[in-house]
Amino acid sequence: MGKFGMGQPIRRVEDQRFVTGTGCFTDDVSRDNQSWMAVLRSPYAHADIKSIDIAAAKSANGVLGVFANDDLKAAGFTGMPYDSVPPGPDGNPPEIPNRPILADGRVRYVGEPVAVVVAETIAQARDASELIEVDYNERPAVANMQAALADGAPMVFDDIPNNLLVHWSMGDKDATEAAFAKADKVVSIDLINNRIAPTAIEPRGALAEYDASEDRYTLTTGSQGSHKLREWITGKNGKKAADIPVEKLRVICPDVGGGFGMKNFLFNEPLAALFATKVVGRPVKWTGDRTESFLNDTHGRDQANHAELAVGKNGKFLAIRVSSLGGVGAYISQFGAMIPTMAGCGMLCGCYALEAAHVDVKVVLTHTTPVDAYRGAGRPEAAYVVERLVDKASRELGIPLDEIRRRNFIPPDAFPYTVALGMPYDSGEYEKLMDLALKRADFATFEQRRAGSAARGKLRGLGLSYYIEACGGGPTEFTIMSVDENGRVLIQSGSQNNGQGHETIFMQLAADTLGIEMDDIEVHMGDTDKIPSGMGTGGSRATAAGGSSVVSTSETMIESGKKVAANLLEAAEVDMEFADGTFRIAGTDRAATLAEVAKASFDDSLRPDGVEPGLVTTIEQTPNGPTFPNGCHICELEVDQATGEIEFLKYTIEDDIGRILNPLTLSGQILGGAGQGVGQALYEETVYDETGQLVNGSFMDYTMPRADNTPAFDFHYTEVPSPSNRLGVKGAGEAGSIGATPAVANAVIDALSPLGISDIDMPLTPLKIWQGIQRATSKAA
């Protein structure tokens, strides 16, 4: 292993530019003669647009153009495409209503873009947008999923009765019913998985350019994948946003200040900017503010679940059945309908050996901001259901929370193991990891600590969750590698860094494989002109797919290098060896470095057929299948009975993330995810009133996890390599958020259980906890 190779805790090379303010984010990119775009948004959750008067705005100082949806449609900008939807009971997907780029005759959520203004300055554009007069006829709205399904509820679309987009199911219903029929005990729970806002530190933005001489567009925007955006804009499966041929659009992604799933997707504003740049004949820039982020960035989660667990003798789990409502907002975002269905429901067996399982999901439209993937994308929602249900079973059956899991875990010798819902788990040592976490958490002496807290008038609780997720699979990933005449290695990857440390990991992998220093390597991502294909980042797949591709490309480059080295050293190719960055004739001291061989490759007389100058090598690699990170979270906390305030006392994590390439970046990913999981459990929730107004659309009202309200995480890992990819990695980007939310909720419920409290909906705010305590003590009195 090299000094900076695999397994080493290397600081992220990206951090130097980030902490010194020399990163280049979308808002840092400007062009000569650039104009600015402002967006007029709907103040209503549901209203007909009777007329739009743009005369005053068009004549305002500095204004270059004012546009509504009719203008975009006439130019071939027809709507926002969706990617996938689950099938209904008849096996066919439902008809999906068109989502216009700008509102088309009706608005369906507060913040929906209605018109755009392009002007010389952003101030002029914003001022002019306030001069647009829109005559609205307000209509009744519904912002709650349960209310949306009721007879007579306001309809988001006139041709979708009861706002039910699709009714989807998964699993073996008959086998599940049979298992419940023979159960000794049925445990049930009702849960709310609260809607939250992604709140990336960098708001979305876009810079659109049009080159009339080539009839070609360029879009610069922070995203999780340039190629996906280009595909959605120019067309996929017959669905496209604009009449732009794929070869006429370049998408560039600079540095990205956080994505969390949300920046995977195509939004209205970049499309409006692409339209406007051609019309006004100048680059058009849009940078969203925080209010716009709350109103139009896709939200996450938003589910209501009823779950039941059939338990046999000795606490043995037999089957699980879950019925859920999944909110998608007013329109279908690209993966919106998949998140409450196919993206996460396959994980509803958890880590447990069940005979059968069945899931029933209603995907519901409401007059709210569209919902799509948020860190974990369906898997956190599944883990929350399973681990809250298992904890409730532990209490009702009187079986300790560790023991009930121990009796039902899938054993290590059962892998590969296909669970009742069809997911092919590849590996895992669940009991071992739980025992390690229990030991580090001092679980054996917890009741003594609980008694000590009670003596001080505090309620102490301990919550455990054992999560599992599926990630790291999916389609191919693309890598191009080359070496310039100075010996510098360039990696061009179809993945996309959003702050996770991709550059560092890819450099480590290449340095280890090629036997060179990381300083001699650079990584480029996010440009569709330079990289032919790529899936970007999402689903914790960057290392499993993109990292594996880097290693395969490096190895293929070495083989090409051997051909050139043989000519350079006047030897047979079969006699060439490679180690530590050097090609050598076996059994001799005659050698040439990788840099020397790469330089020789530019000489036509030394470069054989089939080898490119600079040893250019391209690999498109497909993972063997998904990976299944898993782990144990144990949260210990105290609740102040007088105020409902929570104090974290100890938080233990023991994870199986497969083979570890960089412990330092791994820790950052796990702890960041866990912080977001804590945020959902205790603090975060987007709240709509009965008219569909978002009432907490700013950081004055929307509570975020901070350094002073999150625990100090005690993180450790156990390596259980995955057989699903050549590196043995399992993916870490989402794991922390999946395990944390149920662990924290279980800890709070455990603390309140002596008062007879068995459930409080997230977020578990001090007010909700205090109200629960007051109700419980009043009943007791």
Side-chain angles (χ1 to χ4, degrees), residues 223-402:
S223 75
Q224 293 180 224
S226 300
H227 296 87
K228 285 187 292 186
L229 290 188
R230 184 179 65 172
E231 187 177 75
W232 284 326
I233 293 170
T234 61
K236 176 185 179 183
N237 299 330
K239 303 182 288 288
K240 61 182 178 180
D243 288 333
I244 301 175
V246 65
E247 69 275 8
K248 295 294 185 179
L249 175 64
R250 178 185 186 184
V251 180
I252 300 172
C253 179
D255 288 328
V256 182
F260 311 123
M262 175 269 294
K263 285 184 184 169
N264 254 315
F265 306 118
L266 179 63
F267 288 88
N268 319 65
E269 301 90 354
L271 291 168
L274 281 170
F275 159 81
T277 186
K278 183 175 181 179
V279 176
V280 303
R282 294 168 60 169
V284 174
K285 188 172 186 177
W286 170 77
T287 300
D289 61 27
R290 188 57 62 181
T291 297
E292 290 180 297
S293 293
F294 273 103
L295 291 176
N296 204 46
D297 289 1
T298 51
H299 292 173
R301 311 295 190 242
D302 199 20
Q303 291 189 20
N305 315 103
H306 175 76
E308 297 175 304
L309 182 65
V311 186
K313 299 183 184 303
N314 300 317
K316 178 64 177 174
F317 299 164
L318 303 178
I320 187 172
R321 60 187 176 199
V322 181
S323 59
S324 299
L325 303 181
V328 291
Y331 296 100
I332 307 306
S333 179
Q334 276 82 54
F335 296 146
M338 300 295 289
I339 303 305
T341 54
M342 300 176 76
C345 285
M347 304 310 298
L348 279 167
C349 292
C351 295
Y352 308 108
L354 300 171
E355 296 177 11
H358 186 259
V359 187
D360 180 272
V361 182
K362 293 180 179 179
V363 179
V364 186
L365 293 159
T366 57
H367 291 105
T368 60
T369 300
V371 177
D372 212 314
Y374 173 71
R375 199 168 190 167
R379 286 97 75 198
E381 295 91 318
Y384 187 69
V385 170
V386 173
E387 290 304 296
R388 287 294 309 278
L389 185 58
V390 169
D391 246 41
K392 190 171 185 184
S394 167
R395 288 192 299 273
E396 291 191 6
L397 294 168
I399 302 173
L401 54 84
D402 61 325

Side-chain angles (χ1 to χ4, degrees), residues 81 152 421 524 701:
L421 286 169
H524 292 177
D701 308 294

Side-chain angles (χ1 to χ4, degrees), residues 175-206:
T176 302
E177 296 301 322
F180 271 84
K182 66 181 182 182
D184 291 338
K185 172 75 173 178
V186 173
V187 180
S188 63
I189 195 167
D190 290 287
L191 299 168
I192 296 295
N193 209 290
N194 40 316
R195 175 192 279 237
I196 50 183
T199 58
I201 193 171
E202 176 206 21
R204 289 186 299 107

Side-chain angles (χ1 to χ4, degrees), residues 52-68 71 116-119 124-125 127-133 279:
I52 302 177
D53 186 347
I54 63 174
K58 288 182 70 173
S59 62
N61 187 40
V63 170
L64 303 173
V66 183
F67 308 108
D71 301 305
V116 295
V117 177
V118 179
Q124 290 172 335
D127 287 347
S129 71
E130 295 179 2
L131 299 177
I132 300 174
E133 295 184 9
V279 176

